[in-house]
Amino acid sequence: MTTPLVLSYAGCGTCKKALKWLSDRSVAITLRPIVDQPPTPAELAKWIPASGLSVRKWLNTSGQSYRALGKEKIDATDDATITRWLSEDGKLVKRPVLVHGGKVLVGFKEEQYEALFPKR
């Protein structure tokens, strides 16, 4: 099985919690800095449906990039434009993003991680 990919931001508290959770369980990962290497349009085309979430649930609504765009502008735009924005600005993406097999988790919910990586 392939190594899980985690897109993370060093200054993100939620990312730190997720990485600690994975480390505590000795889950080896490939770490990718989301600001330097945001998800590509091709990755998003696969990952958004695999996550089971709408593209709008991928938005980091508490971040500066979201506030800079403004809720009204975001609400008025289409999903294709939001997807493009996510691929251009890693800080706009809710973090962390964990990709493993056919599963994609956005944000950190311990029960989701536990289901994907049960205790051995």
Side-chain angles (χ1 to χ4, degrees), residues 83-100:
T83 302
R84 181 173 50 82
W85 289 342
L86 292 171
S87 73
E88 294 169 349
D89 183 356
K91 286 193 175 178
L92 194 56
V93 180
K94 185 172 183 172
R95 318 174 278 271
V97 176
L98 185 143
V99 182
H100 185 55

Side-chain angles (χ1 to χ4, degrees), residues 1-8 22 27-32 34 39 43-44 46-48 50-51 58 96-107 113 116-117:
M1 188 167 263
T2 60
T3 303
L5 171 66
V6 178
L7 284 76
S8 178
L22 291 164
V27 177
I29 61 165
T30 299
L31 187 61
R32 183 165 122 194
I34 197 165
E43 287 172 335
L44 288 169
K46 287 189 286 190
W47 294 351
I48 291 169
S51 73
W58 279 66
V97 176
L98 185 143
V99 182
H100 185 55
K103 294 273 191 189
V104 178
L105 303 180
V106 180
Y113 275 51
L116 199 53
F117 305 105

Side-chain angles (χ1 to χ4, degrees), residues 6 8 10 13 33 39 46 53-55 61 64 68 79 97 99:
V6 178
S8 178
K46 287 189 286 190
L53 301 173
S54 75
V55 68
T61 57
Q64 289 179 341
D79 288 357
V97 176
V99 182

